[in-house]
Amino acid sequence: MAPWTRTTTERYGVVKWNFVGNGDKQLSLEVGDAVYIQEVCEGWYKGYLARNKVQQGVFPASFVHLREVIIEKRGNEEVVISAEMPLVKEMTTTLREWGSIWKQLFVVKQTNKQKTVQRLMWDLMEWRSQLLSGTLPSDEFKELKQKVTSKIDYGNKILELDQVVRDENGNIMDPERASVISLFRAHEEATAKINERIKEEQSNIQTDHSGISARIQSSPTHSLYVFVRNFVCRIGEDSELFMSLYDPIKQAIISENYLVRWGSKGFPKEIDMLNNLKVVFTDLGNKDLSREKIFLICQIVRVGRMDLKETNSKKCTQGLRRPFGVAVMDISDIIKGKTECDEEKQFFIPFFPYVLFSSALVGDIVQIRKEYPHLVDRSTVVARKLGFPEIIMPGDVRNDIYITLQGGDFDKYNKTTQKNVEVIMWVCDEEGKNSICLGAGDKTVSEYRSVIYYQVKQPRWMETFKVAVPLEEMCKVHLRFMFRHRSSQESKDKSEKNFAMAFVRLMKDDGTVLQDGLHDLVVFKGDSKRMEDVHSYLSLPSTRHHHSDPHKVAVLSRSSSSVSGGGGLSVSSRDSFSISSLVCSTKLTQNVGLLGLLKWRTRPELLRDNLEKLKIIDGEEVVKFLQDTLDALFNIMMEHSQTDDYDILVFDALIYIIGLIADRKFQHFNTVLEAYIKQHFSATLAYKKLMSVLKRYLDVSSRGEQCEPILRTLKALEYIFKFIGETFQHIQDIVVSLLGIINRTVITMGREHALISKVVACMTAILSQMDDRHYATYIETFTGTTDLVDFLMESFLLFKDLIGKHVYSSDWMAMIMVQNRVFLRAINTYADTMNQKFLNNNDFEVQLWNNYFHLAVAFITQESLQLQHFSPTKRNKILAKYGDMRRLIGFAIRDMWYKLGSHKICFIPGMVGPILEMTLIPEEELRRATIPIFFDMITCEHAHSGNFHKFENEIILKLDHEVEGGGGDERYILLDCAAEKPTLRPQVQHFVSLVKGLLTRLLDYRTVMSDDSRNNRMSCTVNLLNFYKDINREGMYIRYLYKLRDLHLEGENYTEAAYTLLLHSRLLKWSDEMCSPQFEFHGSQTQRQLKETLYDTIIDYFDKGKMWEEAITLCKELAEQYENEIFDYELLSKRLEKQAKFYENIMKILRPKPDYFAVGYYGQGYPPFLRNKVFIHRGKEYERREDFQNQLMSQFPSAVRLNTTTIPGDDIRNSPLQYIQCFTVQPVLEIPPRLKNKPVPDQIINFYKSNYVQRFHYSRPVRKGPVDPNNEFSMWIERTTFTTVYKLPGILRWFETTLSPLENAIETMESTNEKILTMINQYQADWSLPINPLSMLLNGIVDPAVMGGFAKYEKAFFTEEYTQQHPEDRDKLLRLKDLIAWQIPLLGGGIKLHGKRVTDDLRPFHDRMEECFKQLKKKVEKEYGVRELPDLDERKSTRPRSMLRSIRQSIISISSLQGSECGTPTKPYADRYSSIFTCADK
């Protein structure tokens, strides 16, 4: 065979077929397992599984699909990493983890959840195939990546797995490269997204388009792409198409117009635009998508004559804008992603033939240009939303003012008909310059002319256009509106002049921009030339709001239509005109307070007022000027560095701004804020003022006093720290000033506080920034040891509290592990400080060290570090990234313990429990390192006290609690470390043996506590309480008595519950001594009071169980106390009344007799306390065997029912399966001595037929020997007798059957005698049988070395000492002697038969055997008497029945567990049956 060679390229693969390993060297594989390959040899690989690196072996190469890998060098170690893209790796590990959960859900029959997981896995597998194909275009890849990560996060949440935190690109965030605060914020954002997704699933918003919908909801910005293919309408004139988005419920246009100029010949005015009329309506948010309806509307305006019917076009006025029509299309499903769209699909809008293609796109214009370059390019028109998007993106510079002509009311004056009013608008400055944009996609124009409504007195235009003005000219610009009548005849139209005008300034005198909303403008009349002169109207009020203002009286006279100083213009009271405006500007503000703050130097007296007003300014206004506002705040702080007058106001303002950015609408300004801190923040000394205010707030809060801004401050804490800085000195200042206060703040906040997680994250962030120098410097700031001790104890208590109850959700595993790593470093650093400063005798601080040990144990035992409870996937992730932190802190605990020296005794027994809890963690190396601490404690206590009783008591008590709570396993072994102390070895060995025995019973108990079988739980409970009784642990014994009592009450076993409590009462005396509070009995009581209370309860239970005889016995005992001890005759009378009632019940109430059932549990599949044992069960009233057996089988559904009643053979006993044997047995009446030979009523005697019974019979007919039709006695009865450990009923409804050594000897002798007799019968009936079996049987008994096989019995039982110690065995000893005596005639008959059959060559053998038998016979007949058999040659029918009974009768008897008052025995015995053969009478 070729040698094994190390692989170079074949390093990693996935199993594609199951492989069952043969022997230890072959590795078993399951489909989907990942395997690492180390060596190769002739079609075989050697390696290990990814999920279990410890187990290595060989496996066939053909069963593995190889994968490409990347090999990284980490020191001397090679790390093999799959070369798959990270997302595919994540999908693979996720599928493996979900797959194991899917199997578990199937097993436990959680059908709905299992089907959900199955659907999720199918989706992931399909998408994984698409990713591996490598054929996806970039936009589809990004969309699929979004779907995959969303699906994984959703699946992890519903399966209660750990949350995956991702960066903005959807990749898993690496905690090593992210700050604590960034990691915390990522967890918060991930939680919010997943919760939204779950709500969406639950509300059935997501139908058949889960991927699209998931992507839409996860993106803050959306767009609608529209491609206008054609416009066909026979107008005959040029036209303008204004397309926009419209909300029909709110009756509001929500986007800019997209303007298409269409020629009269059916083509676009600009022929280059043919087949290129594309627009993207962008800035839409999730709120827009959640609108009930969204329409795409198109308004058509024709440009030409007043009336299309006019035929003489030469005389008609041209270029008039006249309304033509409107078309509407419901695009709700398209924009919400519910309707799939492709470029081939076309939509026809009704009313006019208008063909377009539309599709919903995810993202803003920059994003969709990258992701959809085949749809959107630089020539595609962008129509923005009217107003800011839900998420204002940083760097989005915008300065748009939207003006809507609302309507007007114009008098006809001297005309006979109403005017055809046209509104002409200019954007004017003092020089008369102008600029207007009519719609997206159109060039700016110099003037705007409105649509003309023919002879309408109150036209309503509702036309919106955009004003584009450079920012620096805003203060100079105003809008001027001219009103002109238009005539249909060109000749008349030329003579028409503007008949009125109105205007409005875009910026007010205070520097703020025009307010959003409706403006009712003043309409002025006058000379046409005057109206065009800006100087003639700019000094006048422009709106009716100002016109009616009493403060404007000096400017505008009410009594006259003329205007003072109006340059010849007058107010037209009969005309009105209104517009509305909407400012979308990142450079202009409508808020006076914000403007005052930004320009605070011009009016310093208003600074305090402006700072206070900042908190009521709309957030949208503030974030638009984020950098300017922050600069202003820090300039205020720096220019008032000598005073703290404005420090708190500036701090509060900063907190308000940070709080705004936490809002989802402005969340993308996080990056702007962080960029500002890194690049623009230059107020280097401001951090001291910030820390001063922060310290003041935290100090007040930590003292429990009211501090109104503290909540906002805590929310913004992370950014405050960033402003303070991250240099060594900055961090040092933070630590010195704030660490102690933040610790106290966390302590006082309480775990239910809404902001506790944020504050803990900030505290963790501070600790994570600290290096050894920071710790050392901070420790030196404490002037006295008392302050340092207080700080360390405070820190230890805080850490222990945070570890015991995490402030984060349990699925925030990355955050929890990072916190653990930071805390571990702090704990070890503080431990070094303790070693240096508080270990010497003079400085030793017991409580400080005690707090350290309890903290360290709490850290090592916290649930988030117990790797054995995690899936292989999660375990490997944690080990790869963080290692096993339990080992690090465990070794630290060990080292700290051994440094204590003489101080160790201070921590015994207090630290026994915590150290035990640590050693119960199933990590072998940790156990080997820490278990020796126990033996150090033993040595220490023994040296101090001469024994280690405190240690032993404590470890037994704590072991019980820890194992019941889930700690410990079968591999837990207490090492014998007493070798260096020979004098302690016997005591230590006894202690180790004691703990092992207790642990075995505790693990059995814990195993069955979750079992459906109440009987199994009761058995293990009895085992434990017996153990505690044997080792004199009364408190634990009583504890388990009450556990057993509760189990009985659950099953309404009142009689057994009473017997259980009776055991507790027997521990108490009728005395007035005080007793320590026992389980379930609180408060101070005397033993008499407690015993009386127990008796009342027990009597009540016996009454319910109809065991009135037992109740009467207790009543008599109570009556004796009432009558002769405490002389309470009133209680005595009540007790006697109850006692009399019990006597009456015995005679009058029918008590059905319960049946008894023998149950055998055979096979190795049972736990040790059942395996190959037989129990007698007491049935309930009227319970049939079939019902009992069905209930029994339901507890062991995999067990096989044995239908025979004979004892099973070794093949069944040693089988790995479970077998159950169940049949009815009859109790053997044992009449109490006081009732014997007396005329007792049946009601009394019947009770004893099924109660106080310990022996049970089972009889069945059998045939012995060959069938002889002439023999009427060929049918025999086999009777089996069982004896239980205790009488029934008792503390259980069943007890085990068992054999004493004497009974075992009797059974063995019975069996031997039966063999001899059976073989004699066989050889008499068939002379052809070979002689060898008979020769071996007889010689094996009569050989002097064996002495009949009973020599050992004579030494063991036939002694004076045994007779004195066991007077109750007198009858059994006589029985054994009788059996020995009867063996002689049986042997004589056998040897006589052997002599007749023996051959000549065996004659010497026979003669020697006969000589030996004579010596044996002489000895036995001398000591045990002579027994005689009839001639064996006679027919069997002539045998006396008494002789046959004597020969064949044998009794099974059972001894109880020595020294134990209650419970099942713990030692198994081989045989529990013997037979009684009696001749059947016919």
Side-chain angles (χ1 to χ4, degrees), residues 1266-1280:
V1267 178
D1268 186 353
N1270 298 320
N1271 184 359
E1272 62 180 15
F1273 297 108
S1274 62
M1275 181 67 74
W1276 297 76
I1277 297 295
E1278 180 186 78
R1279 175 170 295 161
T1280 304

Side-chain angles (χ1 to χ4, degrees), residues 60-113:
S62 58
F63 282 52
V64 176
H65 175 74
L66 295 175
R67 290 284 176 82
E68 291 184 22
V69 295
I70 300 170
I71 300 175
E72 292 183 359
K73 287 277 188 182
R74 295 180 185 173
N76 295 326
E77 186 182 1
E78 280 188 356
V79 180
V80 179
I81 303 171
S82 171
E84 292 175 335
M85 66 179 77
L87 183 60
V88 174
K89 280 187 197 173
E90 183 184 0
M91 295 173 78
T92 305
T93 55
T94 300
L95 284 168
R96 285 203 180 99
E97 193 165 18
W98 288 4
S100 62
I101 295 172
W102 176 79
K103 292 177 186 175
Q104 294 167 16
L105 294 172
F106 179 80
V107 171
V108 298
K109 298 181 180 179
Q110 291 191 21
T111 309
N112 292 337
K113 200 168 187 179

Side-chain angles (χ1 to χ4, degrees), residues 337-602:
K338 294 183 178 180
T339 299
E340 293 281 8
C341 298
D342 58 56
E343 294 183 65
E344 301 303 319
K345 189 170 183 179
Q346 300 180 350
F347 299 94
F348 293 83
I349 301 183
F351 176 71
F352 64 94
Y354 175 68
V355 187
L356 58 84
F357 156 70
S358 63
S359 177
L361 307 179
V362 175
D364 59 11
I365 186 63
V366 176
Q367 185 178 348
I368 63 178
R369 276 178 178 155
K370 288 180 181 177
E371 297 188 9
Y372 306 95
H374 57 294
L375 295 179
V376 182
D377 55 26
R378 293 292 174 185
S379 67
T380 305
V381 176
V382 178
R384 303 198 69 167
K385 180 181 176 181
L386 294 183
F388 283 103
E390 289 177 23
I391 306 296
I392 300 178
M393 299 301 291
D396 185 0
V397 178
R398 192 173 177 186
N399 194 37
D400 300 329
I401 301 175
Y402 295 96
I403 302 295
T404 301
L405 300 188
Q406 292 286 332
D409 189 345
F410 300 97
D411 193 79
K412 61 183 178 181
Y413 292 97
N414 56 354
K415 289 186 175 288
T416 56
T417 58
Q418 295 296 338
K419 292 185 174 71
N420 306 324
V421 179
E422 181 185 54
V423 183
I424 308 163
M425 193 203 80
W426 289 273
V427 180
C428 307
D429 60 12
E430 294 174 352
E431 306 297 324
K433 296 177 182 177
N434 45 65
S435 179
I436 300 170
C437 183
L438 299 182
D442 196 40
K443 298 176 181 177
T444 55
V445 294
S446 57
E447 66 178 20
Y448 169 76
R449 291 181 177 267
S450 70
V451 168
I452 302 166
Y453 291 94
Y454 189 69
Q455 296 183 357
V456 175
K457 181 178 186 295
Q458 296 177 326
R460 284 184 58 78
W461 293 281
M462 304 305 294
E463 294 183 65
T464 302
F465 47 88
K466 181 168 66 177
V467 174
V469 179
L471 187 65
E472 61 276 7
E473 296 183 13
M474 283 296 297
C475 58
K476 307 174 186 177
V477 167
H478 65 278
L479 305 181
R480 183 172 68 205
F481 303 89
M482 291 292 189
F483 306 103
R484 181 180 178 188
H485 170 72
R486 299 303 301 267
S487 173
S488 59
Q489 298 297 318
E490 187 178 13
S491 56
K492 290 184 179 179
D493 188 66
K494 287 182 178 179
S495 61
E496 294 289 347
K497 296 181 179 180
N498 300 330
F499 65 85
M501 65 86 63
F503 78 99
V504 66
R505 289 182 178 275
L506 292 182
M507 189 171 282
K508 299 181 182 178
D509 295 338
D510 58 15
T512 60
V513 75
L514 183 67
Q515 291 288 334
D516 293 343
L518 191 67
H519 307 278
D520 191 3
L521 303 186
V522 177
V523 179
F524 296 99
K525 295 184 65 177
D527 181 71
S528 177
K529 294 289 186 183
R530 290 280 186 183
M531 287 190 290
E532 293 179 4
D533 183 4
V534 295
H535 300 290
S536 63
Y537 58 80
L538 273 182
S539 59
L540 303 178
S542 60
T543 63
R544 290 189 180 272
H545 170 70
H546 289 155
H547 179 211
S548 58
D549 192 334
H551 298 288
K552 300 288 183 179
V553 170
V555 179
L556 190 63
S557 171
R558 287 185 180 179
S559 56
S560 171
S561 62
S562 63
V563 182
S564 303
L569 300 183
S570 61
V571 175
S572 175
S573 58
R574 294 160 67 181
D575 298 329
S576 65
F577 175 65
S578 61
I579 63 169
S580 62
S581 63
L582 175 66
V583 177
C584 296
S585 174
T586 55
K587 296 297 181 182
L588 300 173
T589 180
Q590 298 172 338
N591 189 281
V592 180
L594 180 59
L595 191 65
L597 182 62
L598 296 176
K599 299 181 178 180
W600 63 274
R601 290 186 182 87
T602 59

Side-chain angles (χ1 to χ4, degrees), residues 251-390:
Q251 297 186 357
I253 291 175
I254 59 176
S255 75
E256 290 181 345
N257 286 317
Y258 169 49
L259 173 57
V260 178
R261 297 185 183 273
W262 205 263
S264 59
K265 295 181 179 180
F267 297 104
K269 292 276 282 186
E270 296 182 28
I271 196 66
D272 293 343
M273 297 302 294
L274 189 63
N275 290 325
N276 199 28
L277 298 172
K278 299 182 292 185
V279 62
V280 174
F281 293 94
T282 189
D283 294 341
L284 304 175
N286 285 329
K287 288 182 181 177
D288 294 311
L289 267 61
S290 64
R291 295 175 190 263
E292 189 176 335
K293 291 283 186 183
I294 300 181
F295 288 172
L296 176 66
I297 63 171
C298 183
Q299 302 172 71
I300 301 98
V301 175
R302 64 177 179 84
V303 182
R305 295 162 288 178
M306 184 73 73
D307 191 345
L308 278 173
K309 296 177 182 178
E310 296 173 348
T311 55
N312 191 353
S313 58
K314 292 183 179 180
K315 295 183 178 180
C316 295
T317 307
Q318 298 292 329
L320 302 179
R321 298 181 71 243
R322 296 278 285 136
F324 181 78
V326 65
V328 179
M329 174 183 172
D330 188 343
I331 58 168
S332 305
D333 287 347
I334 296 175
I335 206 165
K336 293 178 183 181
K338 294 183 178 180
T339 299
E340 293 281 8
C341 298
D342 58 56
E343 294 183 65
E344 301 303 319
K345 189 170 183 179
Q346 300 180 350
F347 299 94
F348 293 83
I349 301 183
F351 176 71
F352 64 94
Y354 175 68
V355 187
L356 58 84
F357 156 70
S358 63
S359 177
L361 307 179
V362 175
D364 59 11
I365 186 63
V366 176
Q367 185 178 348
I368 63 178
R369 276 178 178 155
K370 288 180 181 177
E371 297 188 9
Y372 306 95
H374 57 294
L375 295 179
V376 182
D377 55 26
R378 293 292 174 185
S379 67
T380 305
V381 176
V382 178
R384 303 198 69 167
K385 180 181 176 181
L386 294 183
F388 283 103
E390 289 177 23

Side-chain angles (χ1 to χ4, degrees), residues 935 938 948 974-979 982 984-996:
F935 298 94
I938 289 174
F948 51 91
L974 281 180
L975 309 173
D976 188 354
C977 300
L984 278 178
R985 176 171 286 279
Q987 295 165 272
V988 170
Q989 288 177 338
H990 176 266
F991 164 72
V992 170
S993 175
L994 183 73
V995 171
K996 286 180 180 177

Side-chain angles (χ1 to χ4, degrees), residues 26-77:
Q26 291 188 358
L27 190 65
S28 295
L29 308 175
E30 291 183 11
V31 172
D33 279 343
V35 289
Y36 287 96
I37 303 164
Q38 296 168 314
E39 296 179 356
V40 62
C41 177
E42 294 183 347
W44 287 80
Y45 289 142
K46 183 184 291 183
Y48 57 88
L49 294 173
R51 57 182 167 87
N52 185 8
K53 298 182 179 181
V54 176
Q55 186 179 358
Q56 297 188 352
V58 300
F59 45 90
S62 58
F63 282 52
V64 176
H65 175 74
L66 295 175
R67 290 284 176 82
E68 291 184 22
V69 295
I70 300 170
I71 300 175
E72 292 183 359
K73 287 277 188 182
R74 295 180 185 173
N76 295 326
E77 186 182 1

